[in-house]
Amino acid sequence: MSYSVLHRFPGQQGEHLLITARNGGAEPCWVVDRPSVMLGDTSTVLPHAAKDAPGGGARLTIRPGGRVYSAVNLFTDAKTRTSAALSLGLRDGSGGTGPGTELEAFDGKGVPSEFTWSAADVMNWNTVKPYNF
């Protein structure tokens, strides 16, 4: 699996990090639930988004070259943190997290992009992009 993170709508309503996972192998693989995500240098795994659709326990098969998507919703108030980095780990069927990987967020032009948050949550993997507008 390879991953990319696109920072969408910086500083605007609906700001989020679009996480794309791509199966670069020759065999199908699968994901379940949502990724475990930690923003910046924090050690707290983000909670599941309350507004997300149920059904994260189902396996999503990713064919070779296929993609799945998740999103980190970013919320700000007076106390914020800023980073361009995050850590991501895949969760197994029991909710445990496997080895993680460190990623950097980029804007739509491929430039590293810092994001700001005071609170955040993460959505389940899906075969379509969340907030695809």
Side-chain angles (χ1 to χ4, degrees):
M1 296 287 280
S2 63
Y3 307 96
S4 63
V5 180
L6 176 63
H7 185 193
R8 298 190 72 207
F9 310 113
Q12 300 177 39
Q13 184 75 15
E15 180 178 9
H16 65 278
L17 303 174
L18 175 66
I19 301 170
T20 303
R22 181 180 178 274
N23 179 357
E27 299 291 325
C29 62
W30 56 270
V31 294
V32 65
D33 205 357
R34 64 189 182 278
S36 290
V37 177
M38 295 181 291
L39 300 178
D41 61 358
T42 65
S43 60
T44 304
V45 175
L46 297 178
H48 182 230
K51 294 183 179 181
D52 197 8
R59 287 184 182 190
L60 290 179
T61 300
I62 311 166
R63 301 211 182 283
R67 293 174 173 81
V68 290
Y69 307 93
S70 178
V72 173
N73 302 304
L74 303 169
F75 308 101
T76 58
D77 61 20
K79 295 182 180 183
T80 60
R81 299 181 73 150
T82 300
S83 183
L86 62 120
S87 298
L88 179 143
L90 295 180
R91 301 165 63 93
D92 65 21
S94 67
T97 302
T101 185
E102 293 186 21
L103 301 167
E104 191 171 9
F106 293 89
D107 66 14
K109 296 179 182 178
V111 176
S113 183
E114 288 192 336
F115 51 90
T116 302
W117 79 99
S118 53
D121 57 25
V122 63
M123 300 181 75
N124 288 325
W125 290 113
N126 203 313
T127 56
V128 296
K129 293 178 184 178
Y131 312 118
N132 197 18
F133 45 81

